Amino acid sequence: MMSDRITFTIDGVEVQADPGQTILQAADAAGVYIPRLCAHKELNPFGACRICTVMVNGRPQAACTTPAANGMIIENETEELTDNRRSIVEMLFVEGNHYCMYCEKSGNCELQAMAYRLSIMVPRHPYQFPDKDIDGSHPDIMIDRNRCILCARCVRASRDLDDKNVFQFVGRGKEKKVWINSEAKLSDTDMDVTDKATDICPVGAIIKKRTGYEIPIGQRAYDHKPIGSDIEEAKATAESN
Amino acid sequence: MSAPENMRKIVIEPVTRVEGHGKVTILLDDEKQVQQARLHIVEFRGFERFIQGRPYWEIPVLVQRLCGICPVSHHLAAAKAMDIVAGVDELTPTAEKMRRLMHYGQMFQSHALHFFHLCSPDLLFGFDADVAIRNVVGVARKFPELAVQGVMMRKYGQEIIKATAGKKIHGTGAIPGGINKNLSIEERDEFLKDIEQMLEWSRASVKVAKDYTVENLETVADFGSFDSNHLSLVREDGAMDLYHGNLRAIDAQGNKIFDQVDYQNYLDYVAEEVKPWSYMKFPFIKSIGPEDGWYRVGPLPRVNLCDFIDTPEAEKERQEFMAVTEGKPNNITMAYHWTRMIELLHSAEKIKELLNDPDLQGEDLIVKGERRPEGVGLIEAPRGTLFHHYKVDENDQVTMCNLIVSTTNNNTPMNLAVEGVARKYLSGATEITEGLLNRVEVAIRAYDPCLSCATHAMGQMPLVIELIDSDGRLLDKKAKGMSLND
């Protein structure tokens, strides 16, 4: 019924949502891209990265966890929000060891693509060069914690989609990291290369072994179009039809 | 003879129109005779250590960051080593030929870069010419056609690298067991359009280098020259093969020291010595020992060593080159330039041959095999034989890496060339002239050392030379490209 539809605006453009949809989901459906890293279509909202933070009636809210409501006035692409998003992404870069120049995820990496979309040239914060470890014990999967951005996609995918619960967060603050529910190594878990959790990492922290660089430069996800273009183009295509 | 602390010390720092950072020190005794001259490589990279722990398939992309001028060489040498680690002994024809095309593109652009941009000012204007014209801009002014050829040849090679590796610098084409793309018909046709022009320019380049060497034979014959052993890969039938083969080494007279050695066993034949005054190691042939076992690598040894070149025009040029020394190895340092241009022509011929091969449009790109714990990859890089050796644990992580880069192989020869030129031209000199300094650098440049970020200097790189007497008094100081107050 028409009366069930929720109507609100994002940057002055009227957007409609179904009851229960988050601002992010409604924006996606409307072809409005709100930058995000931890959110994923197959996963429940989590609110880890805060990059999708928008101004809702003048107050900052995470678009991925906030339900859409009638009459909301949402600001998405403002100078201030964009700068905040840059700052968050920059912090993610300096708190890990992200060497895009040789990373096999380069060109397909959502963090790298976000940095390009936000026109980040160099982080404003000093690099931390943290000491992170690599778990290569699994025959088909490698964990490189140098590149982890703590989005919890793997934690949620393993628990909610694979029904395995392989990953958990341990530690707090700068000591926080994704760990595995076993004594020490990924090989001790029941993780399988076909698990959803293997594919869902936005960066190169969880990778399939022996498949790196198989997609040539020029054919990778973000070689020609910025991240979010799929959402924006879907709307443009719908309008032209 | 004076004690070393009382000698005059001349320092050339940095050496210009070469890759990276190096300096030359020359010690003079009280009679103004050169007692010691050394090329020091003052940079330290650490790649062998910090790639430890990284997954083996990442290495061909990671380790090529060693260099911005010939990253393809490191990319391919590492990929060849990781083929072995991945349990793959033979690539598909498409994969091998795509890699070869990438390599010949690299060889073509690198040799063109060196000849036209880095050393042509010395050869075209003379070692003593005014520095204001003895640079690449001077070449462009006086020999505009030649300068444009150099740029266009480099571009052609770089475009081939892009078509095979995805990017002109630091691409991702080669992966353990194969390649990640083939060459489309459109890409092929684009290169075929210009290949005849490249061949024509290559022929002309050989002629420039040949004419220079022959016309100045008297001068160049003993300009930093010396007898040496020579080492390179050769094909099983003795042909020059810049991408793959077995190791061959000969002495200065052409006697074989070893031949058709499987490079997986290189450690049985080659070792490295460490000296306290340089970050660069000194490789030598084990059976001869460190004192006399050093050898040269690069274009000169490759042309000296091979039985023939399998492309007709370069083979004809090789025969002409070998005729100068009546078939014996040529030990003239400045002959590197001539042989480099023979290889430039060979690379252009190989590129044409490959472009006409339908295997490049094949779809079978990768072979999988049974993991092995260790692999060695060798390739003939533009500057000489390049060794990559890795050990990889059961978790697929690198535990050991040993790299012997081309320029490292030429360490002793470059030092001898520096010393020879310094003794010949500097001994007895009371005043340092710019032309004199340049002679030392000319000898180094003949080897095209990969020390290159700094090479695009156009004669303006900072360089300071001080002549200090045995009491530490500054007798003379010359600088270029910077203020003396810096």
Side-chain angles (χ1 to χ4, degrees), chain A residues 40-59:
Chain A
H40 189 277
K41 278 185 177 151
E42 292 184 64
L43 299 172
N44 289 327
F46 192 68
C49 74
R50 318 308 283 190
I51 287 169
C52 71
T53 299
V54 289
M55 299 303 278
V56 181
N57 300 333
R59 295 177 59 191

Side-chain angles (χ1 to χ4, degrees), chain B residues 311-327:
Chain B
T311 54
E313 295 194 52
E315 170 60 10
K316 191 171 152 287
E317 296 294 341
R318 183 195 73 87
Q319 289 178 10
E320 203 174 324
F321 175 81
M322 295 307 289
V324 172
T325 48
E326 296 169 343

Side-chain angles (χ1 to χ4, degrees), chain B residues 36-270:
Chain B
Q36 183 195 79
R38 283 172 171 173
L39 169 64
H40 307 256
I41 311 304
V42 294
E43 58 189 335
F44 182 75
R45 304 298 297 277
F47 269 74
E48 290 175 339
R49 176 64 188 85
F50 67 65
I51 66 162
Q52 287 177 18
R54 301 309 308 169
Y56 73 84
W57 55 87
E58 191 178 275
I59 302 306
V61 178
L62 196 175
V63 80
Q64 65 178 335
R65 293 273 166 178
L66 262 166
C67 185
I69 288 233
C70 65
V72 168
S73 309
H74 291 287
H75 181 56
L76 290 175
K80 288 177 75 177
M82 293 314 177
D83 291 340
I84 304 295
V85 166
V88 177
D89 293 319
E90 193 175 346
L91 304 182
T92 67
T94 305
E96 163 142 351
K97 287 172 184 174
M98 281 295 286
R99 286 193 191 178
R100 281 182 176 273
L101 181 61
M102 192 194 302
H103 189 49
Y104 288 115
Q106 153 78 13
M107 194 66 77
F108 190 72
Q109 72 85 12
S110 177
H111 280 0
L113 165 75
H114 179 259
F115 190 69
F116 290 98
H117 298 181
L118 303 185
C119 76
S120 73
D122 298 323
L123 307 189
L124 295 172
F125 296 119
F127 306 161
D128 294 306
D130 180 359
V131 283
I133 59 156
R134 199 187 61 227
N135 54 55
V136 74
V137 174
V139 172
R141 284 209 179 102
K142 184 145 186 214
F143 307 96
E145 269 183 43
L146 213 58
V148 170
Q149 282 174 26
V151 171
M152 297 310 286
M153 289 167 89
R154 248 210 109 202
K155 181 169 188 276
Y156 188 82
Q158 293 283 40
E159 292 292 348
I160 284 182
I161 294 170
K162 187 181 175 190
T164 48
K167 283 163 68 184
K168 290 175 184 171
I169 302 170
H170 301 140
T172 65
I175 49 182
I179 195 90
N180 67 13
K181 75 181 287 285
N182 65 9
L183 194 74
S184 70
I185 296 283
E186 296 74 34
E187 287 169 325
R188 182 200 66 184
D189 290 349
E190 202 54 39
F191 292 122
L192 278 173
K193 269 194 326 204
D194 295 326
I195 187 65
E196 293 305 328
Q197 180 67 75
M198 294 304 140
L199 278 161
E200 194 183 318
W201 285 344
S202 301
R203 290 177 201 118
S205 307
V206 177
K207 189 172 184 313
V208 172
K210 176 167 54 185
D211 289 351
Y212 171 82
T213 314
V214 173
E215 284 163 18
N216 298 282
L217 199 54
E218 208 170 305
T219 311
V220 300
D222 65 347
F223 185 87
S225 297
F226 42 83
D227 282 358
S228 78
N229 304 309
H230 302 256
L231 179 142
S232 86
L233 295 176
V234 290
R235 210 165 67 184
E236 279 178 7
D237 60 359
M240 173 185 279
D241 193 331
L242 302 174
Y243 175 76
H244 189 65
N246 296 315
L247 281 168
R248 173 184 282 178
I250 58 170
D251 65 20
Q253 283 69 48
N255 303 305
K256 288 197 175 76
I257 302 166
F258 52 74
D259 195 12
Q260 297 299 343
V261 166
D262 178 354
Y263 62 65
Q264 295 302 320
N265 307 317
Y266 79 102
L267 282 175
D268 294 337
Y269 297 87
V270 173

Side-chain angles (χ1 to χ4, degrees), chain A residues 101-104 134-137 139 142 144 146-147 207-217 220, chain B residues 53-58 61-62 65 165-167 170-172 175 180-181 366 368 371 394-397:
Chain A
M101 74 287 276
Y102 63 78
C103 178
E104 64 184 85
I134 300 172
D135 183 346
S137 63
M142 185 169 267
D144 186 345
N146 289 290
R147 302 167 180 162
I207 49 176
K208 283 183 188 166
K209 283 185 168 183
R210 300 174 295 279
T211 60
Y213 316 102
E214 284 186 359
I215 304 172
I217 294 168
R220 302 171 305 183
Chain B
R54 301 309 308 169
Y56 73 84
W57 55 87
E58 191 178 275
V61 178
L62 196 175
R65 293 273 166 178
K167 283 163 68 184
H170 301 140
T172 65
I175 49 182
N180 67 13
K181 75 181 287 285
I366 302 169
K368 302 276 183 189
R371 259 293 319 276
E394 64 280 6
N395 291 342
D396 297 323
Q397 292 170 262

Side-chain angles (χ1 to χ4, degrees), chain A residues 2 177 196:
Chain A
M2 289 298 288
K177 59 185 173 186
K196 287 275 189 186

Side-chain angles (χ1 to χ4, degrees), chain A residues 97 169 222:
Chain A
N97 295 306
F169 281 127
Y222 306 116

